Amino acid sequence: MEIPLAFYQSLRLEDNPSKDSSNSNPSVFNFPRFSRYDFSLSRRRWNNPFAKITCSSLVQGLKPKPKLKPEPIREIDQGSKDPVFDDTQIRKSAVAICSQIEKFVLCNRLREAFELFEILEIRGSVRVGISTYDALVKACIRLKSIRCVKRVYEYMISNGFEPEQYMMNRILMMHVKCGMIIDARRLFDEMPERNLFSYNSIISGFVNFGNYLEAFQLFKMMWEELSDSETHTFAVMLRASAGLGSIEVGKQLHVCALKLGVVDNTFVSCGLIDMYSKCGDVEDARCVFDDMRQKTTVAWNNIIAGYALHGYSEEAMSLLYDMQDSGASLDQFTLSIMIRISTRLAKVELTKQAHATLIRKGFESEIVANTALVDFYSKWGRIDTARYVFDKLPRKNIICWNALMGGYANHGRGADAVNLFEKMLAAKITPNHVTFLAVLSACAYSGFSERGWEIFLSMSEVHGIKPRAMHYACMIEILGRDGLLDEAIAFIRRAPLKPTVNMWAALLNACRMHGNLELGRVVAEKLYAMEPEKLGNYVVMYNVYNSMGKTAEAAGVLDTLESKGLRMMPACTWVEVGDQTHSFLSGDKCDSYNDTVKKKIYQKVDELMEEVSKYGYSVEETNLLLDVDVKEERNVVRYHSEKLAIAYGLVNTPEWNALQITQNHRICKDCHKVIEFVSLITGREIVVRDASRFHHFKEGKCSCGGYW
């Protein structure tokens, strides 16, 4: 018996036709809807209750939908001609295509719009309306495709399209926006009538391309032809003045803006601040900023960046706090400026706040601010954090790669720098001269001589980059590290450029490390002649004499310094505790601290010196290298600024915190040896940034490998 499907569909859940089924056997479950069929768990195979169910449509006599019969193939008479469409049909088809092109552009389906436009190109001589041309121009601007611009413009010319001024301005802007500035200038010159929009388009194009002089010529033409201007024009021309670095021209524009009464416009005011800042007149920039009725985020960014650009980091930081208090919103550019100021001032806590704000505002993928973060963390001892930020970026520019690579170099992690360089090449990123400077510095600092030479030779042979003096200085440092001083001299003589200060300085440092007094004298004389007023050259030579016991020669260096009116600055070291930076001088009496703190600092230094003495440390056995005032007595060595700063940091920070130390001088051998022992005894990681590089002290070892 066949059971129709409608029978089961009519059953309700509470209906149970079979009342005699028993629940005594737990292995059998009775389902109300299918009460005639039991599903036993003990059986190996279930019976199929639907085996005899047929479709109700068949029961009701319904027939399936008939299949369409294929039409018979007609034989085409070879003698017959193709059907001919009249003009009306062609016109209707063209109108439909144009309408569809406009819809595609409106929906931002630009590629499909140009696929339809190709049909018009193939047909040719099809009249197209202004609205369709306007849509095609808009599509070209969005795509920034030179090929599409040429296709559209050629179609206009071939069809005899004579644009009015509005459409001519649109065509001009299309060429400018797509980078065809030469063609744009030709179109501009051929325009029968020009207005402010025409001039603004072509002037903006030349300013964006960096051709500021041509932009000023056009601005002069506009002024003579129209005797008028607008706020946008002034904002663009102020950018051109900043690009030229011409404050006189910028002031003339300022006067014109005052006469026309547009100086209160936000765009003009921001342009004036930017122009004065970039031309070095921060005071006038501040006057314009203070006169603004409503200070926008862009205005705040411009004035803060202006102060930071000219080294007024403290003032820039104060303005940054004022901006936060004013309620102005911080954008990614503000945070980028904040991080760059923090890089100069070594404000780690402030950078952490900026980093947190970037994440909170959703700027984690923003390349400018995050590149600044990588640069900061690389320069201030947080190289692992720099790598974390770098890895999180979905897109990386060459600046970001170079910043991290340079960070690895300064921290003595040459292997990581070389690996990053190889990863960069594998990612098809084209290296520049800064990239090679970073990776060659890493090889020099870490002693990777063979790999360094391979990379140096690949610059010109593989990448087509001519090595500069700074790259040659890295190779001299590699030779000097290996003790190949004669080869370094020969390398300098064979170099296809005039030896620079950096090249001779690298060789002098090698002479200092290897104790080659005679060659050191020759190199020092070269440096004295090239930079007679640079203190560092005399300091290095003084240390070479002093470390070899040549007291008479060392005294001669001091006499030379005195005759030139130069003096050695006292050594200073900074340590950051929390959000405060504390500074110490060698032999400092710590008068800025109360007696309790002062006592703790000196007690800690004495304890550390006693501990390191147990490990075999002795002042007498250490070669001193003092980039400091020579009036410091030998007993001051115990209380060098580095030791005082480390003692203060150990007393005032948790034992799991790494210490961050900054110096204005090259670390001396005595302090270097002591800090190695301190890192071993205390188990602390100590990061010292001296005048030459970073030193990572951990478990009794330094990342520099004893060469700095």
Side-chain angles (χ1 to χ4, degrees):
M1 173 183 177
E2 292 185 355
I3 303 172
L5 185 62
F7 171 77
Y8 296 101
Q9 295 174 344
S10 64
L11 285 177
R12 292 177 299 175
L13 186 63
E14 61 272 13
D15 294 340
N16 189 359
S18 178
K19 301 291 184 182
D20 57 348
S21 58
S22 176
N23 294 329
S24 59
N25 188 357
S27 64
V28 178
F29 295 87
N30 296 318
F31 290 80
R33 187 171 293 184
F34 309 115
S35 57
R36 301 179 190 178
Y37 304 93
D38 58 321
F39 296 85
S40 175
L41 298 179
S42 60
R43 297 179 184 176
R44 297 184 62 184
R45 192 170 182 180
W46 293 356
N47 292 327
N48 185 2
F50 303 105
K52 297 183 179 181
I53 296 177
T54 59
C55 180
S56 61
S57 62
L58 296 177
V59 174
Q60 296 175 19
L62 298 177
K63 295 181 180 180
K65 184 179 179 180
K67 297 181 179 179
L68 295 175
K69 295 181 180 179
E71 295 184 1
I73 300 174
R74 299 177 181 177
E75 293 184 2
I76 300 175
D77 186 8
Q78 298 294 330
S80 63
K81 297 181 180 179
D82 292 336
V84 178
F85 298 97
D86 57 19
D87 292 341
T88 305
Q89 290 175 307
I90 294 175
R91 197 178 304 113
K92 287 181 180 179
S93 175
V95 169
I97 292 173
C98 291
S99 175
Q100 194 63 31
I101 287 173
E102 294 173 24
K103 290 176 183 177
F104 277 144
V105 174
L106 187 65
C107 298
N108 209 32
R109 295 164 64 177
L110 309 179
R111 296 294 179 188
E112 295 171 77
F114 273 100
E115 287 175 5
L116 280 179
F117 177 64
E118 191 173 355
I119 298 174
L120 298 180
E121 290 178 298
I122 293 171
R123 287 186 178 181
S125 301
V126 177
R127 281 188 167 275
V128 176
I130 292 179
S131 59
T132 306
Y133 280 131
D134 195 32
L136 289 168
V137 167
K138 187 184 297 183
C140 290
I141 293 172
R142 289 180 186 173
L143 289 172
K144 296 191 181 303
S145 170
I146 294 176
R147 181 173 175 271
C148 291
V149 172
K150 289 181 177 180
R151 286 172 58 188
V152 172
Y153 188 63
E154 286 173 5
Y155 187 83
M156 289 178 178
I157 294 173
S158 62
N159 280 273
F161 177 64
E162 296 180 0
E164 297 178 355
Q165 188 173 31
Y166 164 78
M167 201 60 211
M168 198 65 206
N169 285 336
R170 293 282 292 166
I171 296 168
L172 176 66
M173 187 175 68
M174 173 181 70
H175 282 79
V176 170
K177 293 283 187 182
C178 294
M180 303 171 66
I181 193 66
I182 297 175
D183 293 326
R185 181 58 197 264
R186 180 178 50 79
L187 281 172
F188 177 81
D189 292 337
E190 294 173 356
M191 287 178 70
E193 187 180 354
R194 296 185 284 256
N195 58 11
L196 279 176
F197 188 90
S198 313
Y199 275 103
N200 286 339
S201 295
I202 193 67
I203 289 172
S204 298
F206 277 108
V207 171
N208 291 334
F209 271 81
N211 195 337
Y212 306 120
L213 293 176
E214 189 70 23
F216 273 106
Q217 291 291 336
L218 287 164
F219 179 74
K220 184 180 177 182
M221 281 176 56
M222 182 191 71
W223 200 262
E224 292 173 351
E225 183 176 336
L226 304 177
S227 299
D228 194 10
S229 184
E230 59 179 18
T231 56
H232 175 76
T233 315
F234 277 107
V236 172
M237 294 314 300
L238 287 168
R239 274 204 299 135
S241 300
L244 287 173
S246 175
I247 194 168
E248 294 302 323
V249 176
K251 286 182 176 180
Q252 292 179 35
L253 289 169
H254 193 175
V255 171
C256 290
L258 284 168
K259 289 180 178 179
L260 291 175
V262 297
V263 76
D264 291 332
N265 180 271
T266 303
F267 294 105
V268 175
S269 297
C270 291
L272 285 169
I273 295 169
D274 182 63
M275 183 272 297
Y276 280 124
S277 298
K278 289 180 178 176
C279 292
D281 194 344
V282 184
E283 292 181 1
D284 282 344
R286 183 61 184 266
C287 289
V288 175
F289 176 78
D290 291 338
D291 289 341
M292 288 184 71
R293 296 174 184 174
Q294 185 177 2
K295 297 175 175 60
T296 62
T297 299
V298 176
W300 281 105
N301 289 348
N302 285 352
I303 191 65
I304 294 170
Y307 274 100
L309 179 67
H310 296 285
Y312 302 110
S313 300
E314 295 290 348
E315 291 82 353
M317 189 62 67
S318 177
L319 278 168
L320 195 56
Y321 291 136
D322 291 342
M323 179 183 179
Q324 291 176 315
D325 294 339
S326 71
S329 61
L330 307 181
D331 61 9
Q332 63 268 36
F333 299 106
T334 315
L335 296 171
S336 174
I337 297 166
M338 183 190 298
I339 295 165
R340 296 192 187 281
I341 296 170
S342 301
T343 304
R344 290 186 182 179
L345 298 177
K347 297 285 186 181
V348 177
E349 290 301 319
L350 184 65
T351 303
K352 289 180 179 179
Q353 294 175 24
H355 193 175
T357 307
L358 276 174
I359 296 171
R360 188 170 62 250
K361 288 182 173 287
F363 295 143
E364 290 176 284
S365 302
E366 205 282 322
I367 195 165
V368 176
N370 282 279
T371 299
L373 268 181
V374 172
D375 183 57
F376 175 87
Y377 287 130
S378 298
K379 288 179 177 176
W380 291 104
R382 269 80 172 174
I383 190 66
D384 292 326
T385 309
R387 183 58 187 262
Y388 173 80
V389 176
F390 177 85
D391 290 337
K392 285 288 184 180
L393 274 174
R395 295 183 300 108
K396 306 171 183 68
N397 59 12
I398 187 67
I399 300 173
C400 196
W401 287 92
N402 291 345
L404 184 59
M405 209 176 300
Y408 278 136
N410 288 329
H411 287 78
R413 294 171 60 170
D416 291 324
V418 172
N419 289 337
L420 186 67
F421 175 71
E422 292 172 350
K423 184 178 179 181
M424 176 182 169
L425 295 181
K428 306 298 182 184
I429 306 294
T430 304
N432 58 17
H433 65 278
V434 180
T435 311
F436 284 103
L437 177 62
V439 71
L440 289 175
S441 298
C443 293
Y445 290 162
S446 302
F448 295 162
S449 305
E450 186 175 346
R451 189 72 181 100
W453 281 106
E454 290 176 2
I455 294 172
F456 179 76
L457 294 174
S458 72
M459 284 185 67
S460 54
E461 295 176 0
V462 178
H463 303 283
I465 298 175
K466 185 179 180 180
R468 302 185 183 182
M470 52 191 174
H471 303 114
Y472 280 93
C474 291
M475 304 316 297
I476 293 165
E477 192 163 351
I478 287 176
L479 291 169
R481 187 184 180 100
D482 293 339
L484 304 173
L485 301 182
D486 293 336
E487 288 80 354
I489 281 286
F491 184 72
I492 291 175
R493 289 172 177 168
R494 290 199 308 268
L497 44 82
K498 187 178 179 180
T500 62
V501 171
N502 290 335
M503 295 167 68
W504 289 118
L507 184 56
L508 180 60
N509 188 52
C511 294
R512 174 183 65 82
M513 291 302 296
H514 295 287
N516 192 324
L517 184 59
E518 296 304 320
L519 182 57
R521 279 200 190 106
V522 175
V523 176
E525 291 298 329
K526 295 278 188 184
L527 286 170
Y528 295 160
M530 297 175 75
E531 289 185 331
E533 303 300 323
K534 187 172 181 181
L535 179 64
N537 299 328
Y538 299 95
V539 170
V540 173
M541 202 59 212
Y542 167 78
N543 288 319
V544 171
Y545 288 133
N546 196 42
S547 62
M548 299 183 68
K550 304 288 185 179
T551 55
E553 288 83 349
V557 175
L558 296 178
D559 293 338
T560 305
L561 282 175
E562 188 175 352
S563 65
K564 292 181 177 293
L566 302 174
R567 66 183 185 89
M568 297 186 189
M569 298 299 293
C572 185
T573 302
W574 297 266
V575 60
E576 186 167 340
V577 176
D579 59 349
Q580 297 293 321
T581 302
H582 303 266
S583 61
F584 297 89
L585 299 174
S586 292
D588 201 344
K589 300 300 182 183
C590 302
D591 293 330
S592 57
Y593 301 96
N594 58 46
D595 292 337
T596 305
V597 175
K598 190 187 306 184
K599 186 177 179 181
K600 285 183 179 179
I601 294 172
Y602 277 91
Q603 279 183 349
K604 191 64 177 179
V605 173
D606 294 336
E607 289 175 11
L608 291 173
M609 297 306 290
E610 289 178 10
E611 288 289 330
V612 298
S613 297
K614 296 175 183 178
Y615 284 79
Y617 163 78
S618 175
V619 178
E620 288 76 15
E621 295 177 4
T622 307
N623 262 333
L624 297 180
L625 177 63
L626 304 175
D627 285 10
V628 297
D629 193 340
V630 295
K631 294 180 181 179
E632 293 177 0
E633 300 292 338
R634 197 167 186 76
N635 57 3
V636 179
V637 174
R638 185 179 184 90
Y639 300 111
H640 267 183
S641 58
E642 298 95 317
K643 299 184 180 78
L644 293 173
I646 289 172
Y648 184 85
L650 291 173
V651 170
N652 292 282
T653 57
E655 60 182 12
W656 58 83
N657 269 19
L659 291 184
Q660 180 78 41
I661 308 295
T662 309
Q663 302 179 196
N664 68 343
H665 59 284
R666 193 191 298 266
I667 188 172
C668 73
K669 288 187 177 180
D670 177 72
C671 289
H672 193 278
K673 194 68 176 175
V674 169
I675 299 173
E676 284 182 338
F677 285 127
V678 170
S679 68
L680 179 63
I681 294 166
T682 62
R684 292 282 196 106
E685 183 179 351
I686 303 173
V687 181
V688 178
R689 183 187 182 186
D690 72 357
S692 63
R693 58 179 299 171
F694 278 95
H695 299 263
H696 279 255
F697 296 94
K698 189 175 182 180
E699 298 177 352
K701 295 181 180 179
C702 180
S703 59
C704 72
Y707 189 94
W708 73 96

